[in-house]
Amino acid sequence: MTETGQTQQQIERFLKKVAQKFTATDCDMPMTDIHLRASQDSGDLMAFDDSDVEITRCVITQWIDNKSDNFYQEAAVTLRSELNRIKNIIDNLSVMKPYSFILEDDDKNNVAELYLADDDIAIIGGDLMEGLDKELDGFLQDLLSREE
């Protein structure tokens, strides 16, 4: 799915609404994750806090009735891109660090970690340990073959 300019604007407005809820300069809220829930059927994009209280929502027009088998992976790429574009806002929420933006499906299952903000680091991206299983299997095979 190639994001349109309208999709970019809708997501940027959505993320800025989330940020507005956490911009008070006199408090650091004890929260670890901001859960973004995307619906492939309705196009809804909703944000929730750790207690599953809704922060805000919007409809991403391009996502309505999306039939792609890779919807959540494509949505994750789009959301990461937008989070990175406004990272100066996202990194300065009045939430105690570290905190993450997590993408979930309609059933509240974790689909992807989109963004981790910490005082010293910000991680944007998917699986940081991609291919680790294959490397460990190869390492074990190498060790076992040396013992024989």
Side-chain angles (χ1 to χ4, degrees):
M1 150 177 68
T2 305
E3 68 184 56
T4 65
Q6 179 184 14
T7 299
Q8 269 186 321
Q9 289 175 348
Q10 289 172 328
I11 293 172
E12 182 179 347
R13 270 195 309 268
F14 169 82
L15 292 172
K16 286 182 176 179
K17 282 183 186 177
V18 170
Q20 285 175 348
K21 302 283 184 174
F22 303 107
T23 55
T25 56
D26 59 341
C27 70
D28 279 332
M29 298 184 71
M31 186 166 59
T32 57
D33 296 319
I34 298 171
H35 304 267
L36 305 183
R37 204 165 295 147
S39 174
Q40 189 169 359
D41 297 326
S42 66
D44 283 337
L45 179 60
M46 300 163 281
F48 296 88
D49 66 13
D50 284 334
S51 301
D52 208 30
V53 174
E54 186 174 314
I55 299 167
T56 191
R57 71 170 51 214
C58 76
V59 174
I60 307 299
T61 309
Q62 185 180 4
W63 293 358
I64 297 173
D65 290 328
N66 185 307
K67 302 296 183 212
S68 173
D69 290 338
N70 299 320
F71 170 75
Y72 289 105
Q73 292 79 11
E74 294 166 352
V77 168
T78 301
L79 289 165
R80 278 187 193 112
S81 172
E82 290 305 308
L83 284 162
N84 189 42
R85 233 170 39 74
I86 62 168
K87 80 181 250 90
N88 60 326
I89 295 170
I90 298 303
D91 284 341
N92 294 304
L93 301 182
S94 61
V95 176
M96 286 176 35
K97 291 183 179 179
Y99 56 88
S100 299
F101 282 80
I102 306 291
L103 178 62
E104 298 177 343
D105 62 15
D106 288 327
D107 299 323
K108 302 181 185 178
N109 296 316
N110 185 337
V111 175
E113 185 163 341
L114 302 172
Y115 193 94
L116 170 66
D118 200 347
D119 286 331
D120 300 325
I121 59 171
I123 298 174
I124 305 166
D127 191 359
L128 298 176
M129 302 290 197
E130 190 171 340
L132 182 63
D133 286 344
K134 289 180 184 177
E135 288 181 34
L136 289 174
D137 288 344
F139 177 73
L140 181 61
Q141 288 296 336
D142 185 45
L143 283 177
L144 291 174
S145 67
R146 288 183 188 179
E147 287 183 6
E148 294 173 356

